[in-house]
Amino acid sequence: MLWDHYVFRRGDGVHELWDDLLKDRPVKLLYIAGRGFDVRAQSVMREFVAGQQGAGRKTVSAKLLLLGFQGYELDDEIETLTQENAAALQAVFAPLGETATVTVAQAEGEEEASASDALRQRVKAVLDEIDGKTDIVLDVSSLPRATYLALLTNILQRLVPNKVPVEGADHPLYANGVNFQVLVAEDAKLDGQIRAEDPSNDLVNIPGFFATWQLESVQDWPLVWFPVLGEGRVNQLQKIAASIPTEAEVCPVVPHPSKDPRRADRLLVEYREPLFDSRRTPTSNILYAQESQPFEAYRQLLGAMKRYRNSMAILGGCRLVMTPLGSKLITLGTGLACFEMRPSDWNAKYGVAIPHAEPRRYIASVDALRQSKPEVSLLLLTGEAYGAPK
């Protein structure tokens, strides 16, 4: 398990970690954020920039990559909020460095291959900026799910090409001392109120997790499907379910423990028809993942995938399909589990896929977004904190 020991902070603990991580050393920074409507990204960036302007901090170079998106149907209020958010983020970051906006246009009516290609282009634009940086910050607060999952897993693949620890050497997560941190403005209740509607019929494939889903040579392998449930995502799940064989083993994942102790029960009721009535999924298959602790969710899901991989080895191989539709912290834990589980050997007798049905329309309350008081969480995924013990 790569993150057997991990670094996770929230609230005031985030600033304490930044003091330890960023003080008294030259920082070459790449900050990645979304040019979206979620203004919670501003609160995260303000805290980071204010800290980096403090005593003992030295910014040698800094660049903000704002990832823009087209093709969504947004209300006028949400569209206006998107423009305001982009301008505010650029202004907040200005004391540290320049801003570059990356937008990949997708023409109306293009097929799934083009949607997946647009995602690959965004990932490539980010990866092209990584070399020479000492610190990489991925703020997922205003990024679509497919985009931040693709960035998370592909940045990790660049920094940690070999996931096997070697005795006497630095841990793989040391990553030549490059600190990769993920920031989240977490408000699970608000996330559940943002409605994602009109999902595309064509599934987007997360780059690096394509072969298991499409290759003819593995279609006879049994398939285990892990739908990670979140409010208001039934339509997305149904689009993906249409591509899941009826004989697949289904293991629904619900948030528990949760700030709302009844949340898991409500989600099971919401998804009753597509998962339990239609597919006859036994309730014994339900998995529980911590809502607010991504590394614990990572451990729980990674353990479940490994158990199925090992038990199905006698059948010649298996396909593990993850559908993350929950809140941001659980989704990040899911991404970490999929990254670690992704085979490095092309001859491996298992594979991992993360197909996603991207919504074409988001509906959110502008007032709720503006009034949200999210708690900032930080996942430190690589860097000197994971160096070999001296």
Side-chain angles (χ1 to χ4, degrees):
M1 186 175 290
L2 275 174
W3 288 276
D4 189 27
H5 302 284
Y6 57 81
V7 181
F8 177 62
R9 299 289 186 272
R10 63 191 328 139
D12 292 339
V14 172
H15 292 276
E16 294 172 3
L17 178 59
W18 282 338
D19 284 340
D20 292 337
L21 184 68
L22 297 166
K23 265 190 175 180
D24 301 321
R25 68 174 177 84
V27 170
K28 299 178 181 178
L29 172 68
L30 177 64
Y31 195 113
I32 307 151
R35 193 183 182 279
F37 61 81
D38 200 329
V39 295
R40 288 177 289 182
Q42 295 180 34
S43 62
V44 177
M45 186 181 289
R46 283 195 190 96
E47 293 191 31
F48 180 87
V49 171
Q52 195 58 23
Q53 290 179 285
R57 306 285 181 90
K58 182 180 180 182
T59 304
V60 175
S61 64
K63 186 172 187 178
L64 168 62
L65 276 189
L66 274 185
L67 303 185
F69 304 89
Q70 296 183 4
Y72 292 107
E73 299 175 11
L74 302 176
D75 295 339
D76 290 343
E77 276 190 314
I78 297 296
E79 185 62 49
T80 300
L81 190 63
T82 300
Q83 304 300 327
E84 292 176 0
N85 192 36
L89 290 173
Q90 186 168 346
V92 170
F93 194 80
L96 295 186
E98 63 175 347
T99 297
T101 299
V102 177
T103 301
V104 179
Q106 182 182 339
E108 185 177 351
E110 287 189 347
E111 297 180 353
E112 176 274 334
S114 296
S116 294
D117 184 61
L119 182 57
R120 285 192 292 271
Q121 290 181 53
R122 291 189 191 99
V123 171
K124 182 180 184 302
V126 172
L127 294 181
D128 286 346
E129 298 282 349
I130 284 179
D131 288 347
K133 302 298 188 294
T134 62
D135 293 81
I136 301 167
V137 175
L138 173 62
D139 180 1
V140 307
S141 305
S142 194
L143 284 170
R145 191 182 313 270
T147 299
Y148 70 73
L149 277 171
L151 292 173
L152 172 74
T153 53
N154 282 273
I155 291 173
L156 282 172
Q157 186 62 36
R158 172 68 69 85
L159 298 178
V160 190
N162 180 12
K163 294 178 281 190
V164 180
V166 176
E167 186 175 354
D170 285 316
H171 192 278
L173 295 180
Y174 177 67
N176 294 317
V178 177
N179 299 294
F180 176 32
Q181 54 179 296
V182 178
L183 301 181
V184 190
E186 178 70 358
D187 183 343
K189 183 179 179 180
L190 178 58
D191 287 341
Q193 294 172 351
I194 298 175
R195 290 159 51 195
E197 297 186 346
D198 193 19
S200 172
N201 289 320
D202 303 310
L203 301 184
V204 175
N205 296 287
I206 303 300
F209 297 87
F210 178 76
T212 301
W213 191 242
Q214 299 291 341
L215 286 180
E216 286 293 332
S217 60
V218 303
Q219 294 305 303
D220 291 335
W221 289 359
L223 187 148
V224 185
W225 183 29
F226 300 90
V228 185
L229 307 185
E231 290 84 357
R233 302 293 194 271
V234 173
N235 288 339
Q236 286 177 267
L237 180 131
Q238 289 175 323
K239 296 289 186 182
I240 297 170
S243 299
I244 302 291
T246 55
E247 67 274 12
E249 184 84 359
V250 182
C251 299
V253 182
V254 294
H256 185 78
S258 169
K259 291 181 179 178
D260 179 354
R262 302 294 297 174
R263 188 180 179 209
D265 293 337
R266 287 200 303 271
L267 285 170
L268 292 174
V269 171
E270 184 178 354
Y271 288 86
R272 176 177 175 177
E273 196 286 324
L275 291 181
F276 299 96
D277 292 348
S278 297
R279 290 184 174 262
R280 306 292 183 185
T281 301
T283 55
S284 58
N285 279 18
I286 297 171
L287 301 175
Y288 298 93
Q290 286 211 24
E291 173 185 81
S292 57
Q293 224 302 359
F295 286 103
E296 290 304 314
Y298 145 79
R299 290 179 172 185
Q300 291 154 343
L301 293 173
L302 180 63
M305 287 194 288
K306 285 183 175 181
R307 288 193 296 273
Y308 274 104
R309 177 198 62 187
N310 296 340
S311 64
M312 291 184 171
I314 194 172
L315 301 177
C318 71
R319 292 176 288 164
L320 306 168
V321 177
M322 193 69 70
T323 301
L325 299 172
S327 56
K328 288 184 172 67
L329 288 176
I330 283 185
T331 299
L332 290 170
T334 300
L336 296 181
C338 290
F339 164 74
E340 182 163 343
M341 198 67 189
R342 176 185 172 187
S344 54
D345 182 359
W346 287 102
N347 296 315
K349 296 300 182 182
Y350 71 96
V352 182
I354 316 176
H356 183 68
E358 185 65 18
R360 296 182 179 134
R361 180 177 176 81
Y362 286 98
I363 298 178
S365 166
V366 171
D367 288 340
L369 286 165
R370 293 188 186 279
Q371 294 171 11
S372 175
K373 296 181 180 179
E375 182 174 52
V376 178
S377 297
L378 185 158
L379 294 74
L380 182 61
L381 300 180
T382 68
E384 294 186 3
Y386 296 96
K390 303 301 182 185

